[in-house]
Amino acid sequence: MTLTPGPAQKETRKTGPLPAGHPRVAPPKVGVMLVNLGTPDGTDFTSMRRYLREFLSDKRVIEWPRALWYPILYGIVLNTRPKKSGAAYDKIWNRERNESPLRTFTRAQAEKLAHALQSHDQVLVDWAMRYGQPSIESVIERLTAAGCDRIVMFPLYPQYSATTTATVNDAFFKVLMKKRWMPATRTVPAYHDEPVYIDALARSIETHLATLDFEPETVIASYHGIPQSYFRAGDPYHCHCQKTTRLLRERLGWDEKRLMTCFQSRFGPEEWLQPYTDKTVERLASDGMKSIAVFNPGFVSDCLETLEEIAGEAGEIFHEAGGKNFTHIPCLNDSAEGMAVIEAMVRRELSGWI
């Protein structure tokens, strides 16, 4: 991605007085990096295998001992899962741009944030992926080469987990460890209970429900799951998810039956956070519920887990179990509500730097 500064204006941060005859020093810049999980470059077997190898080799994601996990990963998973995952990605692929929706939305978020910050011409906005391209390292190199001696790095995860926020931070600082001249840095913390985020979710739900010709009896907040063992080890993710839902209930004036919390996308033999989204959707339909809505407050952008797993698979499960009306409420993506959240979090961390 090309760096996107705003129009030329007077610099607000100076380099300080220079001795007579000193070569001109370019005014320092402030970089802003939006970082999301990642995406394969294509839906073919090779691209999927490359992406899954990087993702599933991360010790933050799979905490099993390497001696136990690697024979499974390289002997089974990377020989079978790429084809299945590629077929799933193919259902949601952005064919116009030949890329995944996550890449499309993350780029759009960076471009719109750059526009929102255009009055600060010393700010450069870019975006990266934890797994896949553009890599965190390539974007750091691009920002520092452009003169950024300060960087705000924003892991795009509302709820903190070691499997998401922490691994982005790991990768970011690992790159900086190799630099002799390191930029000053700030990382954006979790924002699961920020009023601007809760309000954006509430308004997106209200707007979507207003377009329907039916009234959902229940709305499910479906978060990506993590193994129970990670939660017991001290990961705050479960608590953050529960707080987001609770605050959203208060904002919407709903009770626990009207707005439920569930967890999706489990992997492997371990027990994960419950209740499981797919099992809950099936149970609700089997119990006679005819109309539900599902949304994904833990995802900043629509991706495989929201478009294929929820909008697609969860809808099929509900209908096959006897349900009638199913709707998936889109993520905030690069909507006005979603950008208000991103801009608010970034402006807070830029305070004192611009």
Side-chain angles (χ1 to χ4, degrees):
M1 172 182 173
T2 303
L3 294 172
T4 49
Q9 290 186 353
K10 183 179 179 181
E11 292 286 349
T12 59
R13 227 170 21 98
K14 302 297 183 181
T15 57
L18 299 174
H22 193 285
R24 181 183 180 277
V25 177
K29 303 288 185 179
V30 179
V32 176
M33 285 179 60
L34 304 183
V35 185
N36 214 317
L37 178 75
T39 175
D41 295 322
T43 62
D44 60 282
F45 186 92
T46 301
S47 297
M48 288 305 313
R49 190 178 191 277
R50 181 170 57 247
Y51 170 71
L52 290 172
R53 182 178 64 235
E54 183 180 11
F55 176 42
L56 297 176
S57 296
D58 190 336
K59 292 182 179 180
R60 292 280 198 180
V61 175
I62 306 293
E63 295 185 1
W64 294 1
R66 301 296 94 176
L68 174 63
W69 172 236
Y70 274 6
I72 299 173
L73 175 63
Y74 285 92
I76 301 175
V77 176
L78 292 180
N79 292 317
T80 59
R81 196 172 181 87
K83 182 178 180 181
K84 179 180 179 181
S85 295
Y89 267 100
D90 192 63
K91 296 178 183 178
I92 65 161
W93 204 248
N94 181 345
R95 304 198 184 283
E96 182 179 348
R97 286 182 172 268
N98 190 28
E99 63 186 19
S100 72
L102 183 63
R103 189 191 300 272
T104 303
F105 285 126
T106 307
R107 179 193 297 108
Q109 289 162 346
E111 291 173 349
K112 290 186 177 182
L113 179 62
H115 180 75
L117 298 174
Q118 65 181 331
S119 62
H120 304 285
D121 69 305
Q122 75 272 39
V123 175
L124 303 179
V125 179
D126 212 329
W127 57 281
M129 296 293 178
R130 172 60 183 90
Y131 314 105
Q133 300 300 323
S135 68
I136 290 174
E137 182 168 17
S138 69
V139 175
I140 290 176
E141 292 300 327
R142 197 151 58 207
L143 289 172
T144 54
C148 294
D149 64 356
R150 308 184 188 198
I151 296 177
V152 172
M153 194 274 288
F154 191 172
L156 293 172
Y157 308 107
Q159 296 78 23
Y160 177 96
S161 173
T163 62
T164 53
T165 309
T167 189
V168 168
N169 289 337
D170 287 347
F172 178 71
F173 288 108
K174 186 177 181 180
V175 174
L176 296 185
M177 286 173 64
K178 297 186 291 185
K179 285 193 167 295
R180 180 171 295 277
W181 189 356
M182 297 171 64
T185 60
R186 293 175 179 174
T187 61
V188 180
Y191 54 98
H192 60 287
D193 56 358
E194 289 287 342
V196 65
Y197 164 65
I198 299 300
D199 189 60
L201 289 176
R203 284 186 284 122
S204 73
I205 292 170
E206 292 169 336
T207 299
H208 183 84
L209 296 187
T211 67
L212 303 177
D213 59 1
F214 64 92
E215 179 74 18
E217 299 164 66
T218 291
V219 177
I220 296 176
S222 181
Y223 300 85
H224 199 291
I226 61 172
Q228 288 276 6
S229 60
Y230 295 11
F231 172 49
R232 290 192 293 268
D235 198 302
Y237 179 72
H238 180 264
C239 299
H240 283 193
C241 294
Q242 295 290 353
K243 188 173 185 182
T244 294
T245 302
R246 176 176 62 80
L247 293 175
L248 195 50
R249 283 196 197 104
E250 294 173 2
R251 164 63 174 77
L252 292 167
W254 293 355
D255 59 22
E256 293 184 4
K257 292 183 179 180
R258 176 68 165 151
L259 180 57
M260 305 172 59
T261 295
C262 292
F263 298 92
Q264 64 180 85
S265 308
R266 59 192 183 276
F267 173 79
E270 284 194 76
E271 181 183 6
W272 284 46
L273 295 180
Q274 297 186 32
Y276 298 138
T277 301
D278 55 353
K279 300 298 183 184
T280 300
V281 166
E282 184 177 30
R283 176 182 58 79
L284 291 174
S286 298
D287 289 346
M289 188 170 290
K290 296 301 181 183
S291 301
I292 67 171
V294 184
F295 71 110
N296 301 99
F299 295 83
V300 169
S301 301
D302 276 309
C303 55
L304 184 71
E305 287 82 359
T306 69
L307 297 174
E308 199 273 336
E309 184 178 356
I310 297 302
E313 290 184 5
E316 292 176 3
I317 291 171
F318 184 70
H319 290 134
E320 289 173 0
K324 180 181 179 182
N325 300 309
F326 178 94
T327 186
H328 174 249
I329 302 171
C331 293
L332 294 176
N333 295 318
D334 61 335
S335 66
E337 292 83 5
M339 292 311 305
V341 178
I342 292 174
E343 182 181 348
M345 296 300 99
V346 169
R347 284 189 180 275
R348 185 176 66 187
E349 298 307 320
L350 284 172
S351 178
W353 280 6
I354 62 172

